């Protein structure tokens, strides 16, 4: 009796509720009274339970853990959380699929998001990566079109293989990522059994102001494990949340997943002569030319207490970098710096940084931002709300800024002109990295998807596979019963000629 009294149900404002099974009615058989405030509050809150779903990366799972430094990287960066061997920093990680809705299956063929929030003493640092080192496009102006083409047909509301391959076959720079997507790595067995990559090139700078271009690789300690196409299809039906469950249960059992952080680091001098455009996210840096060095360890050891509060409301932005780390001219990175923050303001409101999972834990927000929906703290209390001021408000620290850097050139809508072979790295992956079984799976996976598209789109895409590697193109053409001489002809054409040759009505 005593116990239940202490645990009384209340309204959202703490007022005790007397009945939660029967609405207040006018008589035993009469209508409900508007004065049943508990009922009104209960229904109107329920009506607003859903927040906008992320346009991409809608389905995800997350966990807390820590990052530990194991190598001295102070010659490259002054970031405090990387300042000494053994230093540990709390993290929150969110894994996701990309194209599907919030209720979609975990096992689908899709890239996986791998976003890490480091709660550092210099503010929250977000590394917002994927499980692949490259991406389909390298300019954010194409992103909405790319995502539309991979989602649902505007008329039928069905995924549409014609839209999917129409866009990709008109986007030759996608061939590298397409090859990874349709390899076995396109269906990771679980979130624990895949790598994470920062994908973009970032800048690190040290206390002396010297800078380096870097790439992040988070290598799974569980080993890479992938699903075959058949296993993936089966899981999509029988256990659509298998990866979400796997992560949660592994951590509950004390089997804490971990990853080694390895970095590729290029000095500005090395970057000058580098054979690939280091700001083109469709390209990797070959390991032989830039061997990765082990820098730290990331461990996940604590599940969130509430999914919506901590995972659904978690918000990452690639622009959240701490002193010692900076952005690069990678165009996709520049676009994401805008788009992620903008998305979260739309999804969660202008004060999303106050939500506990997003708030800095070991640094203090000390800004002049005030007011707005859901300002749930004391809103800067009685302190000044403008800068400059002489009332003791926080002042900018010039030492925390990135050292000056050069930019030059004529403004214009420039295409990528720097060594721009979009096919070599996809070909290397096919020829030199994959074994016979992986190549066979790749061919089968592409055939079963591309085989459903219009023939003219198959032909246009086939030319890109052929340009990456002749054997790659020939095997696919053979499998789909396409004329290889026609494919060869299309492969020898310019992009414009190929587009013309594969217009509707042809093939
Ligand atoms: P390496 O032989 O040194 O590296 C190849 C890397 O490819 C491996 O280290 C592994 O990356 C990754 N890999 C292995 N099997 C597969 C697969 N089935 N699907 C996708 N990736 C796989 O060669 P290079 O560094 O010269 O790269 C050759 C090609 O390998 C690249 O063109 C690229 O397609 C691919 N690759 C390269 C990466 C890089 O950063 N250099 C990273 C990932 C892929 P990991 O060790 O990260 O698991």
């Amino acid at each position: 009796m005593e116990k239940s009294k202490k645990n009384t149900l209340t309204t959202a404002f703490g007022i005790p509720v007397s009945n939660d099974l029967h609405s207040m009615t006018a008589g035993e058989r009469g209508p409900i009274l508007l004065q049943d405030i508990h009922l009104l509050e209960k229904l109107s809150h329920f009506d607003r339970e859903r927040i906008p779903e992320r346009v991409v990366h809608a389905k995800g799972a997350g966990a807390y853990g820590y990052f530990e430094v194991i190598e001295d990287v102070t010659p490259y960066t002054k970031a405090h959380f990387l300042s000494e061997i053994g230093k540990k920093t709390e993290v929150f990680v969110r894994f996701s699929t990309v194209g599907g809705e919030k209720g979609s299956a975990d096992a689908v063929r899709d890239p996986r998001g791998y976003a890490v929030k480091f709660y550092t003493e210099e503010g929250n640092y977000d590394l917002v990566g994927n499980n692949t080192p490259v991406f389909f496009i390298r300019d954010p102006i194409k992103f909405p079109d790319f995502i539309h083409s991979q989602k649902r047909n505007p008329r039928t509301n069905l995924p549409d293989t014609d839209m999917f391959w129409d866009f990709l076959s008109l986007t030759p720079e996608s061939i590298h990522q397409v090859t990874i997507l349709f390899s076995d790595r396109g269906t990771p067995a679980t979130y624990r059994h895949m790598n994470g990559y920062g994908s973009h090139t970032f800048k690190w700078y040290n206390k002396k102001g010297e800078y380096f271009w870097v790439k992040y690789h988070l290598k799974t300690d569980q080993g890479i494990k992938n699903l075959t196409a058949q296993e993936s299809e089966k899981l999509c039906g029988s256990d659509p949340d298998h990866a979400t469950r796997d992560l949660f249960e592994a951590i509950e059992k004390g089997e804490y997943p971990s990853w080694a952080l390895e970095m590729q680091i290029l000095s500005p001098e090395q970057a000058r002569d580098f054979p690939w455009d280091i700001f083109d996210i469709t390209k990797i840096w070959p390991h032989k030319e830039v061997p990765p060095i082990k820098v730290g360890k990331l461990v996940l050891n604590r599940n969130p207490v509430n999914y919506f509060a901590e995972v659904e409301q978690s918000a990452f932005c690639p622009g959240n970098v701490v002193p010692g780390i900076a952005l690069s001219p990678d165009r996709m990175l520049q676009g994401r710096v805008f788009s992620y923050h903008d998305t979260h303001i739309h999804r969660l409101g202008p004060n999303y940084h106050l939500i506990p999972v997003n708030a800095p834990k070991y640094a203090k927000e000390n800004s002049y931002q005030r007011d707005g929906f859901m300002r749930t703290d004391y809103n800067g209390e009685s302190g000044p709300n403008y800068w400059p001021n002489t009332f003791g408000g926080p002042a900018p620290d010039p030492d925390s800024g990135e050292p000056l850097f050069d930019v030059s050139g004529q403004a214009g809508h420039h295409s990528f002109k720097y060594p721009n072979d979009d096919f070599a790295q996809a070909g290397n992956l096919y020829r030199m990295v994959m074994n016979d079984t992986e190549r066979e799976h790749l061919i089968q996976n592409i055939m079963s998807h591309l085989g459903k598209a219009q023939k003219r789109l198959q032909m246009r895409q086939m030319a890109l596979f052929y340009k990456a590697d002749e054997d790659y193109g020939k095997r696919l053409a053979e499998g789909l019963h396409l004329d290889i001489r026609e494919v060869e002809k299309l492969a020898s054409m310019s992009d414009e000629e190929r587009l013309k040759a594969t217009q509707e009505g042809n093939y």
Side-chain angles (χ1 to χ4, degrees):
M1 190 68 180
E2 188 57 32
K3 198 173 164 208
S4 72
K5 253 197 175 163
K6 275 193 192 147
N7 204 10
T8 302
L9 175 71
T10 72
T11 68
F13 299 95
I15 301 163
V17 170
S18 61
N19 193 318
D20 198 30
L21 292 176
H22 308 292
S23 307
M24 186 188 286
T25 52
E28 280 181 12
R29 304 192 67 196
I32 290 173
L33 297 182
L34 195 57
Q35 74 177 59
D36 189 345
I37 55 129
H38 171 57
L39 172 70
L40 302 191
E41 181 193 275
K42 188 173 179 178
L43 291 181
S44 58
H45 192 275
F46 175 73
D47 294 345
R48 290 164 179 79
E49 273 182 9
R50 291 293 167 270
I51 59 173
E53 181 173 292
R54 292 165 168 89
V55 182
V56 283
H57 297 273
K59 173 88 185 280
Y64 295 93
Y66 66 89
F67 173 77
E68 182 174 359
V69 180
I70 57 173
E71 192 59 55
D72 177 22
V73 287
T74 54
Y76 307 111
T77 177
K78 66 173 192 176
H80 186 59
F81 82 103
L82 296 169
S83 61
E84 51 181 297
I85 293 173
K87 186 165 174 55
K88 283 188 179 176
T89 299
E90 206 177 318
V91 298
F92 177 76
V93 173
R94 181 177 183 268
F95 302 107
S96 52
T97 51
V98 179
E101 295 85 2
K102 210 170 149 334
S104 58
D106 290 342
V108 290
R109 183 169 306 287
D110 204 8
R112 303 291 188 269
Y114 190 131
V116 188
K117 190 179 291 296
F118 298 81
Y119 298 98
T120 91
E121 288 122 327
E122 295 173 303
N124 290 353
Y125 169 46
D126 291 342
L127 179 66
V128 197
N130 278 334
N131 72 328
T132 65
V134 293
F135 198 62
F136 299 90
I137 52 172
R138 53 187 163 214
D139 193 312
I141 204 163
K142 295 188 179 187
F143 190 76
D145 304 291
F146 163 62
I147 293 300
H148 287 173
S149 74
Q150 310 296 295
K151 289 221 178 207
R152 292 173 182 272
N153 179 297
R155 182 170 186 213
T156 62
N157 200 35
L158 295 167
D160 188 314
T161 36
D162 283 346
M163 282 165 51
F164 185 99
W165 290 107
D166 191 28
F167 181 87
L168 292 175
S169 63
L170 293 170
T171 311
E173 68 268 28
S174 65
I175 190 71
H176 194 184
Q177 174 78 317
V178 165
T179 303
I180 296 176
L181 178 65
F182 282 89
S183 78
D184 289 339
R185 286 201 182 191
T187 48
T190 75
Y191 292 132
R192 295 183 299 129
H193 294 94
M194 64 182 207
N195 293 340
Y197 302 88
S199 303
H200 304 287
T201 293
F202 290 90
K203 187 195 273 179
W204 273 7
Y205 57 92
N206 62 21
K207 282 189 174 148
K208 290 190 247 172
E210 297 160 333
Y211 74 90
F212 304 86
W213 298 116
V214 301
K215 277 196 187 285
Y216 293 74
H217 303 250
L218 284 153
K219 300 288 202 66
T220 172
D221 290 331
Q222 290 69 242
I224 295 273
K225 219 166 129 191
N226 301 312
L227 304 169
T228 62
Q230 294 72 25
E231 288 166 339
S232 144
E233 246 172 58
K234 194 168 165 222
L235 269 177
C236 285
S238 65
D239 190 3
D241 303 314
H242 86 280
T244 306
R245 175 179 304 103
D246 173 84
L247 181 70
F248 188 87
E249 288 183 353
I251 293 173
E252 286 299 288
K253 279 190 273 187
E255 292 168 14
Y256 302 139
S258 62
W259 287 261
L261 174 66
E262 297 183 5
M263 300 295 299
Q264 287 182 294
I265 302 178
L266 273 181
S267 68
E269 296 70 40
Q270 289 171 304
R272 214 162 290 139
D273 303 322
F274 203 63
W276 301 100
D277 183 342
I278 62 167
F279 305 126
D280 175 351
I281 195 179
T282 67
K283 308 292 183 297
I284 53 90
W285 299 354
H287 288 141
K288 270 174 235 71
E289 287 169 53
V290 197
I293 56 168
K294 238 185 199 177
V295 165
K297 187 182 171 83
L298 187 143
V299 179
L300 297 181
N301 58 11
R302 181 161 64 88
N303 277 315
V305 173
N306 183 278
Y307 182 85
F308 180 85
E310 295 161 280
V311 186
E312 186 60 15
Q313 293 197 110
S314 65
F316 302 80
C317 177
N320 289 340
V321 291
V322 290
I325 302 175
L327 307 177
S328 78
D330 176 331
R331 293 184 198 179
M332 281 301 290
L333 176 59
Q334 300 268 326
R336 293 177 76 208
V337 163
F338 163 73
S339 214
Y340 279 65
H341 182 58
D342 189 49
T343 295
H344 302 315
I345 291 175
H346 163 65
R347 228 168 45 85
L348 304 164
N351 286 311
Y352 74 89
H353 60 287
L354 298 176
I355 297 170
V357 66
N358 300 325
K361 280 186 203 290
Y362 299 103
K364 189 171 166 270
E365 185 211 346
N366 216 3
S367 78
Y368 291 103
Q369 289 170 31
R370 296 289 188 276
D371 309 351
F373 284 115
M374 300 308 294
R375 185 80 212 199
T376 55
D377 65 352
Y378 284 93
N379 195 27
E381 299 178 13
S382 58
N385 59 358
Y386 58 91
W387 174 259
N389 69 70
T390 50
F391 292 101
D397 172 9
D399 291 342
S400 68
E402 179 184 354
L404 300 182
F405 58 92
D406 289 327
V407 282
S408 64
Q410 289 192 303
H413 295 276
H414 299 291
S415 63
F416 271 70
K417 293 208 176 65
Y418 191 69
N420 199 10
D421 181 344
D422 288 327
F423 302 95
Q425 292 197 352
N428 290 343
L429 177 62
Y430 178 83
R431 279 184 300 273
M432 291 153 40
V433 179
M434 291 183 182
N435 61 31
D436 285 345
T437 312
E438 288 170 332
R439 271 190 288 269
E440 181 54 27
H441 287 181
L442 172 72
I443 300 289
Q444 291 302 328
N445 294 339
I446 295 174
M447 269 170 44
S448 64
H449 196 282
L450 181 57
K452 293 179 199 134
Q454 292 178 18
K455 188 167 171 206
R456 68 186 181 94
L457 304 179
Q458 294 180 13
M459 291 297 289
R460 195 160 71 207
Q461 181 65 35
M462 207 52 59
L464 304 188
F465 291 127
Y466 185 86
K467 278 164 77 96
D469 184 274
E470 288 186 15
D471 179 67
Y472 190 7
K474 277 183 181 161
R475 282 175 71 178
L476 280 166
E478 201 177 297
L480 292 173
H481 310 294
L482 303 175
D483 183 342
I484 188 62
R485 280 160 311 179
E486 285 291 314
V487 171
E488 282 169 350
K489 215 161 87 189
L490 287 171
S492 68
M493 293 177 182
S494 69
D495 293 347
E496 291 73 28
E497 288 167 339
R498 199 178 315 115
L499 168 61
K500 235 170 156 180
T502 54
Q503 290 296 10
E504 262 184 299
N506 296 347
Y507 297 103

